[in-house]
Amino acid sequence: MKKFLLPESGNFYKANLHCHTLLSDGKCTVEEVKEAYKAEGYSIVAFTDHDVFLIHNDLTDGEFLALNGYEMEVNDVLPEGGNPKARKTCHMCLIALDKDTVTPVCWHRTKYCFRNAVEQRVNVRNDESLPDYERAYTHERISEMMQMGRDGGFFVTYNHPTWSLESYPDYIGYNNMNAMEIVNGACIKMGYNDYNERVYDDMLRAGKRIFCIAADDNHGVADRFGGFTMIKADKLEYSAITDALVNGNFYASEGPVINALWIEDDILHVECEPAAEIRVNTGIRRTAHKNAKDGVGVTSLEYQIEPTDVYFRVTVTGFDGKHANTNAYFL
């Protein structure tokens, strides 16, 4: 009997799950972003401007879905006279699971907004009965914010640890996220090594059962189209797409295409477009890989799953060195 890890039925929809516009510190309008991504073959963009949760359902049409969200940052304390560029920070995106969700979590009436987001504060539909939320750069407070996001009906991602100057002692203490960015396209284009495969394994081996996404984090034009998430769902409709996110029915990519992923009789089957390598990593010191030969791309791999693997995940590497990464699947 086959167990499909990426659903057998449905369609793949190309998505950017991290995006900024003129409403915060971006350079383009939401309409310009929509048209640019549609022209590049994307069906979905999550609009995640800094610190202001704004609703963009009017951008949705039969060929494009706007997801509503926002990004929050939590900065370490800056010593007097310290360099802000040396300060650690934690960024997270919150994507609403329901298009009718209008109320943010962790809202503060006067703090945290910057650039154009300051002017947009009046358009945020805050719950006035709640007190202002004070952020703090601690494991406990950041984990609390992530949990509040999930409790408030959001899909929560942990973003660009390399750009954020965060290392193992920092990110390993964060709990309650749904996913982390294994790829942040804009950061990579700026010269940061924000292909975070090692960070993902660190999280998984610490027992965090989280997904991985790839996203652009675009602010202008030059930082577009570096990372995307391929979401498989029955239709291009808000709840169908967010259900797929919650259930992990997607993979992250910088370019390579994965067509199918299933298990039959404890054997993992991977099918992809021609690539330089297909690799399986696990929670222990056990791997498998299959490489292209004589310039002919590899398109499939079979892997015998063992009970001691703890989890497994698949990486497809293209001839250009770019990657596609599946979520981890725990045994």
Side-chain angles (χ1 to χ4, degrees), residues 12-16 40-45 225 228-231:
F12 277 113
Y13 298 102
K14 192 174 185 178
N16 175 22
E40 196 66 19
Y42 286 71
S43 300
I44 302 164
V45 171
F225 316 136
F228 55 89
T229 302
M230 295 298 289
I231 303 172

Side-chain angles (χ1 to χ4, degrees), residues 32-44:
E32 289 169 337
V33 169
K34 171 184 173 177
E35 293 309 314
Y37 275 85
K38 281 185 67 174
E40 196 66 19
Y42 286 71
S43 300
I44 302 164

Side-chain angles (χ1 to χ4, degrees), residues 40-75:
E40 196 66 19
Y42 286 71
S43 300
I44 302 164
V45 171
F47 291 89
T48 55
D49 277 299
H50 287 281
D51 303 304
V52 285
F53 180 43
L54 304 171
I55 310 305
H56 301 291
N57 295 331
D58 59 306
L59 295 175
T60 296
D61 57 38
E63 299 176 339
F64 181 84
L65 176 67
L67 297 178
N68 302 316
Y70 62 112
E71 185 176 25
M72 293 192 293
E73 61 283 332
V74 188
N75 299 321

Side-chain angles (χ1 to χ4, degrees), residues 283-302:
I284 61 174
R285 196 177 297 116
R286 184 169 182 262
T287 63
H289 66 94
K290 187 176 180 181
N291 295 321
K293 293 183 179 180
D294 300 323
V296 178
V298 59
T299 59
S300 65
L301 175 142
E302 295 181 359

Side-chain angles (χ1 to χ4, degrees), residues 263-278:
I263 297 172
E264 187 172 18
D265 298 328
D266 293 327
I267 296 177
L268 172 67
H269 297 261
V270 184
E271 291 184 353
C272 63
E273 293 190 356
E277 180 189 57
I278 305 174

